[in-house]
Amino acid sequence: APPQPSSPPLPPSPPPSPPPASPPHPPPPAPPPPTRLSPARCDALFRDRDGIFRQMWNREGWMQLHGGEPCWGRNDGGRSYFDNVLMGTSCDNNWYEGFMGWQEWDGDAPAVLGFDSSIDGYCRGLQGRRRRLARGNATTGNAADGDDATTMSNRRRRLNAAWLCHEVNRNILMLFGTNVHGTGAGYNSCRNLEWQICAALGRLPGQRSPRIVFSTAPSELDTAGARPLGKCGGYKPRGCGWQSYANDDIFFLEVCIYAKICRNRDKLFRLRRGEFFICDVDEEGFRDLQHLLADGPHPKR
């Protein structure tokens, strides 16, 4: 029989399929913008002799220094003032002077800090704990002649926030008048610093613990953000311009003061809104703050 033709050779086997690609790793989170508040950012703001934090200490509240008298006076470089602040000498004072008189509390009254609108919202959210208090002895805060509609609206919101917070045992700072605590001056950043240190020591009237709460989380503050520093935001009884500062600026200052004087400053920037904070007061940090503030801004050119 004739030979049978051989079968053609089989084609080579295809190479094995490559293993499926691993899913890409998610990119690392973007770092916070350099303008977001942090301990380092706060320190830099205080060390900037041309910055607003060095200017906010005029004896006349809401006015920048620019060569004026600092609120601690011109004697002894402010040493007596800062010593008394750290000792809490002024804590047992009426921090609602010129508004609703001495406070009455029926429980621990932590200190609340934040933008005015967020303080209002925070205390309003606690109204299930509300005490019914008469509001008949409150003043309107001595409205200034010529206040525009926005300033008057902000003033009313601040006064309402003070009542709302008082009714739920929360301390806020609300000073009006021209001789606050017998100092011969009205509200200014020195009174604000005293109140903050008293809050950190747990020695404000009504406080039974050194708890502080922020209605806006410190980590949300951005000097170039939606509510920036030095751009005349919030209550501004002395108007806008190079010569003044406004209420939003004060909240930036408050947060950065705690970033300077609390050992647990890193925890400050991990807080959520409404979360309690207890400042571990650091005398070395306070004295560094004292040195920077007493050094003042650059002299007028």
Side-chain angles (χ1 to χ4, degrees):
Q4 299 294 321
S6 61
S7 301
L10 295 173
S13 300
S17 301
S22 301
H25 292 292
T35 52
R36 184 77 57 85
L37 284 198
S38 66
R41 176 68 172 145
C42 285
D43 186 68
L45 288 167
F46 278 118
R47 293 185 187 281
D48 179 5
R49 291 193 71 192
D50 292 315
I52 191 170
F53 277 9
R54 294 286 191 102
Q55 291 285 1
M56 293 172 65
W57 300 90
N58 198 316
R59 177 176 170 81
E60 188 173 349
W62 311 100
M63 297 296 290
Q64 296 190 30
L65 264 172
H66 294 297
E69 182 182 359
C71 52
W72 49 79
R74 298 192 186 277
N75 298 325
D76 76 2
R79 287 187 296 275
S80 298
Y81 166 76
F82 286 102
D83 287 349
N84 285 325
V85 170
L86 188 58
M87 290 188 294
T89 303
S90 62
C91 294
D92 190 23
N93 266 314
N94 176 14
W95 297 100
Y96 293 82
E97 185 174 319
F99 172 44
M100 63 183 184
W102 279 95
Q103 317 87 335
E104 296 178 3
W105 311 97
D106 65 359
D108 185 22
V112 183
L113 299 94
F115 293 122
D116 283 345
S117 56
S118 67
I119 291 176
D120 183 293
Y122 167 76
C123 290
R124 194 179 296 278
L126 300 175
Q127 287 298 292
R129 312 175 192 181
R130 182 180 179 186
R131 302 176 291 152
R132 296 292 176 177
L133 300 173
R135 298 193 179 191
N137 64 336
T139 73
T140 58
N142 302 321
D145 292 339
D147 277 353
D148 60 26
T150 300
T151 299
M152 288 301 297
S153 174
N154 285 332
R155 184 191 299 273
R156 285 191 296 269
R157 183 166 58 247
R158 297 182 77 228
L159 299 177
N160 190 56
W163 272 115
L164 288 170
C165 292
H166 187 212
E167 289 170 343
V168 295
N169 287 316
R170 293 294 186 270
N171 255 302
I172 70 170
L173 177 61
M174 186 67 61
L175 294 173
F176 294 100
T178 58
N179 187 29
V180 169
H181 301 168
T183 60
Y187 165 84
N188 56 42
S189 293
C190 282
R191 305 291 80 77
N192 214 100
L193 178 62
E194 291 165 359
W195 183 88
Q196 279 195 254
I197 299 301
C198 292
L201 297 173
R203 292 176 54 187
L204 291 175
Q207 271 188 301
R208 300 177 186 176
S209 72
R211 294 190 302 167
I212 300 164
V213 64
F214 294 88
S215 58
T216 300
S219 61
E220 296 176 33
L221 296 188
D222 188 326
T223 58
R227 296 188 77 158
L229 175 65
K231 300 298 182 182
C232 204
Y235 181 59
K236 39 187 174 292
R238 301 308 298 265
C240 298
W242 63 270
Q243 79 286 354
S244 61
Y245 58 90
N247 212 56
D248 283 7
D249 303 324
I250 294 171
F251 183 41
F252 278 91
L253 180 67
E254 289 172 336
V255 168
C256 283
I257 284 172
Y258 282 139
K260 288 293 292 180
I261 69 148
C262 300
R263 287 189 187 88
N264 52 343
R265 54 188 62 88
D266 289 331
K267 182 177 180 181
L268 178 68
F269 293 96
R270 295 195 299 268
L271 294 172
R272 298 183 297 272
R273 298 183 201 182
E275 184 178 359
F276 287 117
F277 174 68
I278 295 178
C279 170
D280 181 8
V281 177
D282 174 15
E283 181 171 357
E284 183 179 348
F286 179 87
R287 294 303 183 185
D288 186 45
L289 175 68
Q290 171 185 342
H291 169 76
L292 293 171
L293 296 181
D295 192 39
H298 274 131
K300 294 172 66 177
R301 293 181 176 86

